[in-house]
Amino acid sequence: MSLEAIESLNRRYLTLRNAEAVRVLKIQDEIVSEIRGFLKREGFVEILAPIIGPVTDPGIRGAKQVSIDYYGANFKIMSSMILYKQMVITSLPKIFALSPNIRLEPLETVKTRRHLTEFRQMDLEVANATYMDMMDLGERMFCHVITKMKQTCSKELREQKRILKVPRRPFKRYTYKEAIEILENLEICVKYGLEIPWDGEEALSKIHSEPFWITDYPVTARGFYYMEHEDNPTILKDFDLIYPEGFGEAISGGEREYRYDKIVERMRRSRENISDYGWYLDMLRSGIPLSAGFGIGVERLTRFICGLENIWDAVPFPRVAGVHSP
Ligand code: AMP
Ligand code: MG
């Protein structure tokens, strides 16, 4: 990160006043309103997101969780509210929340220009849905937001010199295996079983002009809460949506494992400390439904819609790895 960029983050009280920053915040307001409106019309109920809890999402690819001392207990700041989404769909079958997350991302993520250490997801979950249902919903939601932005923010988008196209549905779908084969042809090697690295994801994104899905990640690459395929338990019923034009990952989600025995076995395999998950395991024993859901990063969506080079320009108070900004 250049000294100039760090200086601009440190003086956010000044850079927040420039015309582009004002425009981006207006567009962001419309994005959030349109997602809310879309989900309400689909029958979702908005709930208030948790901020701290005894456990949080462990599947955060090399980022560190933040712990706080909560009256003598070790609590975590939410890295994502996945475990809590599984709790609440026992009472409300279609929920969403604008969920704030903290992840101490590795310093090198500054180079990706799409990682913050404090960000928000529109995080949603549906009881008894399949991962295919959620991909269909994700496509409709994405197309709705783009269509609306072209109408309500046409002036701002023109000033941003951003031309948006509503993508054709259904979006292209690759399995993880197909995606790493494409990467091999681009001379980027990904060992089967590992996450696609950030530069690989960006390379795939660059060769597309419309968003696309990557599905069926190997079980070794993702958290214990994703559902395995019945006919091949080495792969998961999960997906990422990737933006075109080099903007990288937009959404992660999938179908959730909900059976106590299966989750304990998966936790053992991924070397989770099972004793950390007290309430979660008690809840699984009491029985929860199958569900599916996803989270879409609000700042990344703003970055894509506004055509911004850096994600830190897509949030009023940016928090970037290693930078001690206001
Ligand atoms: P995950 O479940 O880790 O894929 O997170 C869900 C979504 O949140 C991602 O698809 C991104 O859109 C967004 N996201 C994850 N990590 C970050 C980050 N460090 N900075 C900004 N957005 C993020
Ligand atoms: Mg992800």
Side-chain angles (χ1 to χ4, degrees):
M1 199 175 192
S2 69
L3 278 175
E4 202 187 334
I6 295 175
E7 188 63 4
S8 122
L9 287 177
N10 285 338
R11 291 170 179 256
R12 192 56 173 153
Y13 47 88
L14 295 179
T15 54
L16 202 48
R17 302 178 199 180
N18 75 38
E20 181 172 61
V22 173
R23 238 178 356 248
V24 168
L25 296 187
K26 283 187 181 161
I27 294 173
Q28 188 161 70
D29 170 52
E30 291 293 336
I31 294 172
V32 173
S33 301
E34 284 305 334
I35 295 180
R36 281 210 164 94
F38 173 87
L39 291 174
K40 301 279 272 191
R41 284 190 295 280
E42 291 277 329
F44 282 77
V45 173
E46 180 169 6
I47 62 155
L48 302 179
I51 294 179
I52 57 171
V55 279
T56 186
D57 183 358
I60 53 173
R61 313 182 58 160
K64 277 204 286 209
Q65 298 179 342
V66 178
S67 297
I68 59 162
D69 176 53
Y70 188 74
Y71 302 97
N74 178 19
F75 267 42
K76 300 279 167 30
I77 302 180
M78 287 298 125
S79 51
S80 98
M81 61 177 286
I82 170 65
L83 307 179
Y84 291 86
K85 291 200 297 181
Q86 286 186 286
M87 183 195 310
V88 75
I89 47 100
T90 56
S91 52
L92 294 164
K94 281 179 129 180
I95 58 94
F96 74 98
L98 179 55
S99 171
N101 297 158
I102 300 283
R103 299 181 187 179
L104 298 184
E105 298 283 0
L107 279 174
E108 64 265 26
T109 57
V110 170
K111 290 198 216 103
T112 69
R113 302 178 315 280
R114 61 178 181 278
H115 285 85
L116 296 166
T117 52
E118 177 189 296
F119 63 96
R120 284 137 205 91
Q121 300 186 41
M122 270 297 190
D123 214 344
L124 50 109
E125 195 74 14
V126 180
N128 298 309
T130 66
Y131 76 131
M132 294 291 169
D133 295 336
M134 296 317 290
M135 287 162 75
D136 178 66
L137 181 92
E139 291 186 4
R140 288 189 291 110
M141 183 171 108
F142 184 79
C143 291
H144 170 81
V145 172
I146 302 294
T147 306
K148 286 294 179 181
M149 287 308 111
K150 285 168 72 79
Q151 293 164 3
T152 55
C153 297
S154 60
K155 177 172 160 281
E156 286 80 7
L157 290 173
R158 205 167 39 247
E159 287 164 356
Q160 282 298 111
K161 300 190 172 53
R162 181 71 170 143
I163 298 169
L164 290 174
K165 201 168 81 191
V166 182
R168 279 162 305 171
R169 291 181 42 228
F171 299 174
K172 208 170 185 134
R173 292 177 186 191
Y174 301 102
T175 61
Y176 165 90
K177 195 162 165 282
E178 289 165 342
I180 64 171
E181 279 161 14
I182 300 173
L183 282 173
E184 238 162 64
N185 291 330
L186 298 174
E187 289 173 7
I188 300 176
C189 274
V190 181
K191 193 163 168 269
Y192 186 94
L194 298 182
E195 265 287 6
I196 297 173
W198 295 304
D199 57 340
E201 186 189 290
E202 190 169 324
L204 280 174
S205 168
K206 272 193 178 134
I207 57 170
H208 286 80
S209 59
E210 300 213 333
F212 61 95
W213 299 101
I214 303 177
T215 67
D216 304 312
Y217 284 76
V219 69
T220 46
R222 296 266 153 125
F224 59 75
Y225 44 77
Y226 284 114
M227 181 70 90
E228 296 165 351
H229 277 271
E230 291 86 15
D231 52 351
N232 182 357
T234 68
I235 54 173
L236 300 171
K237 296 184 179 182
D238 73 339
F239 53 76
D240 275 9
L241 181 72
I242 312 292
Y243 292 120
E245 304 162 41
F247 286 91
E249 179 198 339
I251 287 178
S252 284
E255 222 164 290
R256 317 300 183 185
E257 183 53 78
Y258 62 101
R259 293 162 296 184
Y260 172 82
D261 294 345
K262 278 276 180 193
I263 294 218
V264 170
E265 181 201 321
R266 292 274 294 282
M267 282 179 167
R268 287 217 168 93
R269 273 198 269 148
S270 59
R271 297 204 181 82
E272 284 298 327
N273 189 355
I274 294 175
S275 62
D276 288 346
Y277 289 87
W279 72 260
Y280 182 67
L281 295 175
D282 289 345
M283 174 181 83
L284 295 177
R285 268 195 228 100
S286 77
I288 61 167
L290 169 73
S291 67
F294 64 73
I296 179 163
V298 177
E299 298 85 352
R300 286 191 184 177
L301 179 58
T302 309
R303 175 183 177 228
F304 172 74
I305 287 180
C306 297
L308 302 171
E309 184 172 351
N310 299 311
I311 192 167
W312 49 85
D313 292 323
V315 60
F317 314 115
R319 199 73 56 216
V320 176
V323 181
H324 300 173
S325 53

